[in-house]
Amino acid sequence: MKRIAALFALCFGLMAVYAQDDNRVLMTIGNETITVQDFVKAYQKNNMLSEATENDLREYRELFINYRLKVQEAEAMKLDTAANFIAELGSYETQSAQPYLVDNQVSDELIEEAFERSKSQVRASHILIRCNPSASPKDTLAAYHKILGIRDQIMNGLNFNEAAALYSEDESAREYVNPQNHTRHYGNKGELGYFSIFEMIYPFESAAFNTPVGSVSMPFRTQFGYHIVYVQDRIPAIGKIWLSQIFIADTTALSGNVKPEILERMNEIQAAYNQGVPFDTLAKLYSDDKATKDKGGRMEPFTPSRRPGNYVAAAIHARPGQMTAAVPTTLGWHYLRCDSISRATVNEESRYMLKQRIARDSRSQKSKEALVERLKKEYNYNESGKAKAFKFFAKNLDENSFQSTQDIPSIKGIEKLKPIFTFADQQVSVQDFAKYVSRFQGVKLNGTVTDFLNQLYPNFVSEQILTYERKHLQEKYPEFRDLVKEFHDGILLYEINTQKVWGAAIQDSVGLEKFYEQIKINFPNDDPNAETPYKPMNEIRALVITRYQDYLEQQWVKELRAKYPVTVDEKVFSSILKH
């Protein structure tokens, strides 16, 4: 078991963190020089140096040498140049680099923010005035003033939901009649119901969670335009709601008018309930919901975001076990009884899940933006060439240039311009930016060329700086370099062991049979009536393969020791033993 543990440490722990900076040469293995620090790092990955005996360290030293010999042989065989190897290592390096390409402080703040928000759900309505992300400053300002004017009317007494029906450019806010079947669809008047984190785009979520209940937010911008949000309610986060309902079908329920025959049924239900008739009985007698009426109106549990806001609010704010007043929806009228509510589980374990979701969410961009700003200062970012470059583009491009096949990077004179910006040891040319801009040919501009270029420029700068940072991570962060090397050597070891030992033992049927003949004496047959005194190959094949693999490895290591000279400075090694 100790040998297995040591091998595991070698495969996955070659570059563990070790505080002692001891660069004395301990040994040479082939063309590789191993320092005391290298060796101790590997050992301390899974072992305590202070508890090590001389025998432990000497045994580990032999395993360490064998490991490095195998890796050198794999490199000599150019296994590290195989396409699969390069792809696997590249994928691992890219994935492992992600924590270094964000601002950790901002990331931690985003996790904490999400953790706190996950404890609640809000009910909100909104009004939208559309504004394209690439809109001109003039159009952007017009959209802002328009929604600010709407907010002023609301603050002076206009009902928010009525304002949404009047002004919102979210089409769902207003009712319409389907011209094909003449069906009336009632608008939601801006109502969005209850939601929690990750259920809205991040700027919208932030506005909703940062606005007090009963208040209207100031205008804020998203990719869709400018919004204002009215927060109607905020509750502790709910996991599931168990309801029973009595449903009266009426597609005009939201019109504000009740048909006489519908009103008569509703009055009967209310009167019977007031007289003590059980809710379950009334559901069986009156409900139009065929799926639940025979079950006393009991519904399948649901999350708050799956039902209209007024429906959920009536249920969760009602007295437990009591029937609510009739709630109108697009389908009809609902008498509800809240049978049970489960609260969402929010604990320290949730933080890990939140971290994973944040990494895939648009809010993670905040962390990258913070890192880029820090790197700009670190790398002395200078964009002194930007103004002249933008004037050049404004003179030589128009809106039609993006609808054509014009070769933007080859515009006459572009190569003579000074770099558009510089940082570290990089000079980013105007042509580099032009190549980036060319990716967007075919896009219809909503504004001037300069407006569009200003929209693209920050992303281009971030891409250039983060690409540079990514290429230099191993220089800046020794622990990242060690991590990548550890994986590099680990998969090389796996590949060469597969070829030389594991796979070879399975595929070499002739060699396996010969080996069995040599060791079968160690496997006497327990059956006195057996044809042979030894267990047949087919009964112990797995065990024979394992022993054959050990044999092949021993022979292979002898060959490697002969091929690659190994020298150990025993005096230096003795100094390790004294720790």
Side-chain angles (χ1 to χ4, degrees):
M1 290 299 292
K2 182 181 290 186
R3 183 171 183 272
I4 294 174
L7 279 172
F8 182 86
L10 284 171
C11 292
F12 299 102
L14 179 60
M15 296 297 172
V17 175
Y18 177 60
Q20 181 177 337
D21 185 16
D22 191 339
N23 291 316
R24 289 178 298 162
V25 175
L26 174 62
M27 64 181 84
T28 58
I29 305 173
N31 59 7
E32 185 176 18
T33 299
I34 305 297
T35 66
V36 172
Q37 184 177 345
D38 295 333
F39 180 76
V40 174
K41 275 183 180 181
Y43 187 82
Q44 291 209 142
K45 179 69 175 180
N46 290 87
N47 304 277
M48 290 292 292
L49 183 61
S50 60
E51 298 176 0
T53 66
E54 180 177 350
N55 187 60
D56 290 336
L57 286 175
R58 290 193 179 279
E59 180 181 346
Y60 187 83
R61 187 179 77 179
E62 296 309 300
L63 292 170
F64 181 90
I65 291 171
N66 293 345
Y67 170 62
R68 297 311 308 165
L69 287 171
K70 292 176 182 178
V71 172
Q72 282 194 45
E73 180 69 359
E75 290 174 337
M77 294 171 62
K78 300 190 181 302
L79 296 184
D80 56 345
T81 64
N84 288 342
F85 175 90
I86 294 172
E88 187 175 0
L89 181 64
S91 176
Y92 177 81
E93 187 172 357
T94 298
Q95 183 179 358
S96 301
Q98 295 313 305
Y100 295 88
L101 297 176
V102 295
D103 186 288
N104 290 327
Q105 180 179 342
V106 174
S107 295
D108 291 344
E109 290 170 357
L110 287 171
I111 293 170
E112 186 61 30
E113 177 187 75
F115 182 74
E116 290 303 315
R117 288 180 182 177
S118 68
K119 299 175 182 178
S120 305
Q121 286 162 330
V122 296
R123 180 188 177 192
S125 299
H126 86 124
I127 294 172
L128 167 68
I129 298 301
R130 294 192 179 278
C131 183
N132 193 290
S134 60
S136 67
K138 179 181 177 181
D139 291 340
T140 299
L141 190 61
Y144 178 80
H145 282 307
K146 183 175 181 179
I147 200 164
L148 192 61
I150 296 169
R151 185 181 186 276
D152 288 342
Q153 291 185 56
I154 294 168
M155 302 310 290
N156 288 322
L158 178 62
N159 178 273
F160 187 96
N161 297 107
E162 294 305 319
L166 283 170
Y167 300 118
S168 183
E169 294 176 8
D170 178 352
E171 290 78 7
S172 67
R174 282 177 294 282
E175 67 177 67
Y176 69 95
V177 177
N178 188 316
Q180 295 181 338
N181 56 20
H182 305 292
T183 303
R184 183 179 297 277
H185 295 267
Y186 293 95
N188 60 27
K189 297 186 176 182
E191 168 74 53
L192 298 170
Y194 286 85
F195 55 88
S196 189
I197 56 170
F198 303 116
E199 294 182 315
M200 299 290 177
I201 57 176
Y202 180 62
F204 196 99
E205 174 195 304
S206 292
F209 274 88
N210 292 333
T211 300
V213 174
S215 300
V216 178
S217 73
M218 288 297 291
F220 61 94
R221 192 169 184 178
T222 73
Q223 65 205 62
F224 304 106
Y226 281 102
H227 309 251
I228 52 175
V229 165
Y230 169 50
V231 177
Q232 302 168 67
D233 194 11
R234 183 166 183 159
I235 60 173
I238 289 174
K240 292 287 181 68
I241 302 174
W242 282 261
L243 283 187
S244 297
Q245 75 166 353
I246 302 167
F247 171 61
I248 308 300
D250 179 9
T251 57
T252 66
L254 290 176
S255 68
N257 300 314
V258 186
K259 299 175 183 177
E261 62 274 21
I262 298 294
L263 182 60
E264 183 178 351
R265 287 180 66 191
M266 294 169 66
N267 288 337
E268 288 179 13
I269 292 169
Q270 190 65 59
Y273 182 77
N274 292 341
Q275 293 172 9
V277 179
F279 187 96
D280 295 27
T281 301
L282 292 173
K284 293 176 182 178
L285 290 173
Y286 290 100
S287 183
D288 291 331
D289 185 354
K290 295 179 181 179
T292 65
K293 65 180 300 179
D294 292 334
K295 296 185 290 186
R298 284 186 294 279
M299 304 169 62
E300 291 296 318
F302 59 89
T303 58
S305 60
R306 302 292 293 177
R307 294 290 188 278
N310 64 329
Y311 185 98
V312 174
I316 63 178
H317 293 306
R319 293 174 59 189
Q322 299 295 307
M323 185 177 80
T324 67
V327 179
T329 69
T330 56
L331 301 176
W333 298 92
H334 309 257
Y335 289 97
L336 306 175
R337 182 187 69 193
C338 185
D339 298 324
S340 180
I341 295 176
S342 70
R343 296 296 172 184
T345 301
V346 182
N347 52 35
E348 290 304 310
E349 191 176 332
S350 307
R351 290 181 188 272
Y352 175 77
M353 300 301 296
L354 289 171
K355 183 177 181 180
Q356 305 307 307
R357 293 198 66 178
I358 286 171
R360 302 189 299 269
D361 188 68
S362 62
R363 72 193 71 200
S364 64
Q365 189 63 29
K366 284 186 64 177
S367 185
K368 288 186 178 180
E369 290 169 356
L371 173 66
V372 169
E373 290 305 309
R374 177 162 60 80
L375 292 175
K376 280 183 177 180
K377 295 177 182 178
E378 179 181 337
Y379 292 142
N380 298 314
Y381 170 82
N382 184 302
E383 58 178 29
S384 59
K386 179 188 174 186
K388 187 169 288 188
F390 273 47
K391 286 182 181 178
F392 176 85
F393 284 126
K395 181 179 179 180
N396 290 278
L397 295 177
D398 58 28
E399 290 81 351
N400 296 326
S401 301
F402 292 88
Q403 301 301 313
S404 68
T405 57
Q406 180 179 356
D407 188 358
I408 297 175
S410 298
I411 299 174
K412 185 177 180 180
I414 194 171
E415 74 283 354
K416 297 179 181 179
L417 295 172
K418 293 181 179 180
I420 193 168
F421 63 86
T422 61
F423 69 98
D425 57 356
Q426 300 294 293
Q427 294 191 346
V428 181
S429 70
V430 180
Q431 283 182 304
D432 292 330
F433 181 52
K435 291 174 185 176
Y436 179 81
V437 171
S438 295
R439 299 183 198 173
F440 301 89
Q441 282 185 286
V443 173
K444 185 176 181 180
L445 302 193
N446 186 2
T448 66
V449 169
T450 301
D451 293 336
F452 187 59
L453 295 180
N454 274 314
Q455 181 188 348
L456 297 181
Y457 184 74
N459 290 331
F460 173 68
V461 172
S462 294
E463 184 179 287
Q464 293 291 314
I465 291 178
L466 290 176
T467 299
Y468 179 87
E469 180 73 357
R470 167 71 182 77
K471 290 179 180 178
H472 291 79
L473 284 180
Q474 293 195 41
E475 299 171 20
K476 289 182 68 174
Y477 301 101
E479 70 276 12
F480 178 71
R481 179 184 65 241
D482 294 348
L483 188 69
V484 174
K485 179 166 176 53
E486 176 184 322
F487 188 81
H488 170 279
D489 292 351
I491 54 178
L492 273 184
L493 181 68
Y494 177 84
E495 290 295 333
I496 198 165
N497 268 335
T498 299
Q499 291 188 24
K500 296 289 188 177
V501 179
W502 304 328
I506 296 172
Q507 296 169 6
D508 184 9
S509 56
V510 175
L512 186 65
E513 191 65 40
K514 289 181 179 179
F515 184 73
Y516 164 74
E517 293 297 329
Q518 295 173 17
I519 67 168
K520 66 182 180 181
I521 191 172
N522 299 313
F523 302 97
N525 205 320
D526 299 329
D527 185 357
N529 300 318
E531 295 181 4
T532 65
Y534 311 113
K535 289 184 179 179
M537 174 73 156
N538 62 345
E539 288 186 14
I540 57 171
R541 181 178 178 82
L543 186 57
V544 174
I545 288 175
T546 300
R547 294 201 177 186
Y548 189 40
Q549 288 173 338
D550 289 340
Y551 169 77
L552 289 177
E553 183 173 14
Q554 292 169 11
Q555 297 302 115
W556 179 39
V557 167
K558 288 180 182 179
E559 294 174 8
L560 293 176
R561 294 263 182 164
K563 181 176 180 180
Y564 299 99
V566 176
T567 61
V568 178
D569 189 326
E570 292 292 345
K571 184 177 180 180
V572 174
F573 184 72
S574 296
S575 70
I576 300 175
L577 298 176
K578 296 175 184 178
H579 278 281

